[in-house]
Amino acid sequence: MILVVGATSMLGSRVVHGLLERGHKVRVLIGRYSHLAVSNQGTAVTIQSLVSAGAKIVWGDPKTETSLTSALSDIDTVITVVNTARQWGIDAIESVDWHGALNLIDAAKNAGVRRFLMATIPADGLDNHERTRRLNEEYEHLLVRSGMTYTIIQPTVFMEYWVGMMVGIPLMTQQAVTLIGRGDRAHNFISEQDVANYFVAMLDHPKANNQTVVVGGPASYSWTEIVHRVRERINVELPIQYAMMGTPISYIPEKVYPLATEFERFENRLDFSDVSKTFGVRPTSLDDYIDQAFGHCRAVIYSTL
């Protein structure tokens, strides 16, 4: 049986559904107040949807030994996709994610878990990259020392979250897109569904054993290029305005704003075609995401004009 931690996130729920579709037995560890956190993030994930899909629920606090002991009973594989940075900011990576992962790795080792997969943030390019790189190295060190077969998956930038916030919110509210700085640094974007597919594909793939694998989408784009692509794909006016670093943007949460500014500090133009081919994951293109996420917006916007 597989235990998934972080299953009420959009990524976590996709991992759960992907595993169940492959015939795996899945248990999810859910905190007592997870339904409130999910509701506050405005996502469509519900605990009932996981149960209806076939997942077994165990309630508890992932930070407590008692909860983990119960959740890990008869578990062969652990998958954790906990990521609090998008809700609580970059500092939460160390204060929350690190301590939770530390407890989970230790408990999984003691429970005799064979396989451990986790998601972390790539360190390259982040302004605080030294701290993030150190944490990633410590994750790997702990997993090596645990004796479990491990895979650390490091996704690039999530399309659904970042494009949905930076472009989707102003699109739906009929206001200008505000870009920080010049908006011309290119970044690789990946769909959360593709990341979930990588988790499922790497579960028993020999080339994923005891590896840290960075995964990404098929191309890199600047924010300005993304806005132009949205304009072209759904044929709407979408003005752009530029703001200096440090200028608040109304639709970006205060705790997330420091992460948003990181896009102007570096760029990455990475090629993930070999990774995609190795694990058999067909990447979602930016155009496919735009059509799926914003294709309905044209009718909605035109109907209000």
Side-chain angles (χ1 to χ4, degrees):
M1 179 173 279
I2 300 171
L3 175 69
V4 178
V5 181
T8 53
S9 67
M10 293 301 289
L11 172 58
S13 68
R14 287 183 166 105
V15 171
V16 170
H17 284 281
L19 293 170
L20 291 170
E21 289 169 4
R22 292 286 189 93
H24 294 287
K25 295 181 179 179
V26 179
R27 179 186 299 163
V28 298
L29 175 60
I30 296 179
R32 297 291 180 184
Y33 302 103
S34 289
H35 63 291
L36 297 178
V38 171
S39 175
N40 288 339
Q41 292 179 56
T43 68
V45 177
T46 65
I47 294 170
Q48 185 56 48
S49 70
L50 299 175
V51 174
S52 298
K56 304 299 182 183
I57 306 296
V58 57
W59 298 91
D61 184 348
K63 299 186 294 295
T64 66
E65 182 178 350
T66 302
S67 293
L68 289 176
T69 299
S70 175
L72 289 164
S73 176
D74 299 320
I75 291 295
D76 174 77
T77 299
V78 170
I79 296 176
T80 176
V81 294
V82 174
N83 180 357
T84 58
R86 294 194 300 188
Q87 184 177 5
W88 301 109
I90 195 72
D91 289 337
I93 295 174
E94 186 164 10
S95 62
V96 179
D97 293 2
W98 160 248
H99 292 293
L102 179 66
N103 291 337
L104 183 58
I105 292 170
D106 191 49
K109 172 187 174 182
N110 293 336
V113 169
R114 176 185 65 88
R115 188 86 168 85
F116 196 104
L117 296 87
M118 70 181 300
T120 65
I121 297 177
D124 291 341
L126 289 177
D127 187 46
N128 66 332
H129 64 281
E130 288 300 332
R131 180 175 60 169
T132 307
R133 182 175 290 110
R134 175 175 55 81
L135 290 176
N136 287 343
E137 289 174 352
E138 291 182 6
Y139 286 139
E140 187 168 355
H141 176 70
L142 286 171
L143 287 169
V144 169
R145 193 172 60 184
S146 74
M148 296 182 288
T149 301
Y150 72 89
T151 302
I152 299 174
I153 298 176
Q154 296 184 341
T156 55
V157 183
F158 285 129
M159 292 181 188
E160 289 84 352
Y161 182 80
W162 285 104
V163 179
M165 177 173 61
M166 298 291 289
V167 181
I169 293 177
L171 173 65
M172 290 301 298
T173 55
Q174 300 181 47
Q175 59 181 303
V177 174
T178 302
L179 300 181
I180 301 169
R182 296 168 55 182
D184 60 353
R185 300 291 184 95
H187 299 278
N188 184 275
F189 290 81
I190 187 171
S191 168
E192 285 185 320
Q193 182 60 60
D194 295 345
V195 179
N197 292 343
Y198 272 114
F199 267 100
V200 176
M202 292 185 191
L203 188 61
D204 293 308
H205 199 296
K207 290 191 176 181
N209 290 347
N210 301 321
Q211 297 293 322
T212 295
V213 184
V214 181
V215 298
S220 298
Y221 299 90
S222 70
W223 282 117
T224 300
E225 289 172 329
I226 290 173
V227 175
H228 287 309
R229 293 303 299 162
V230 172
R231 287 173 177 169
E232 293 173 6
R233 296 297 294 185
I234 65 174
N235 191 28
V236 296
E237 293 293 330
L238 191 57
I240 301 175
Q241 61 185 15
Y242 297 89
M244 295 179 60
M245 297 276 283
T247 303
I249 299 175
S250 61
Y251 53 84
I252 299 180
E254 182 180 352
K255 290 184 179 295
V256 178
Y257 184 85
L259 280 174
T261 65
E262 297 291 342
F263 289 107
E264 280 304 294
R265 301 183 191 276
F266 74 103
E267 67 177 5
N268 60 45
R269 296 182 180 272
L270 305 175
D271 182 0
F272 291 97
S273 55
D274 287 344
V275 178
S276 173
K277 183 178 180 180
T278 296
F279 296 104
V281 174
R282 179 184 177 276
T284 301
S285 70
L286 178 64
D287 286 350
D288 287 343
Y289 167 70
I290 291 171
D291 292 345
Q292 179 182 3
F294 306 136
H296 68 287
C297 293
R298 176 169 51 185
V300 173
I301 292 171
Y302 284 169
S303 69
T304 62
L305 295 178

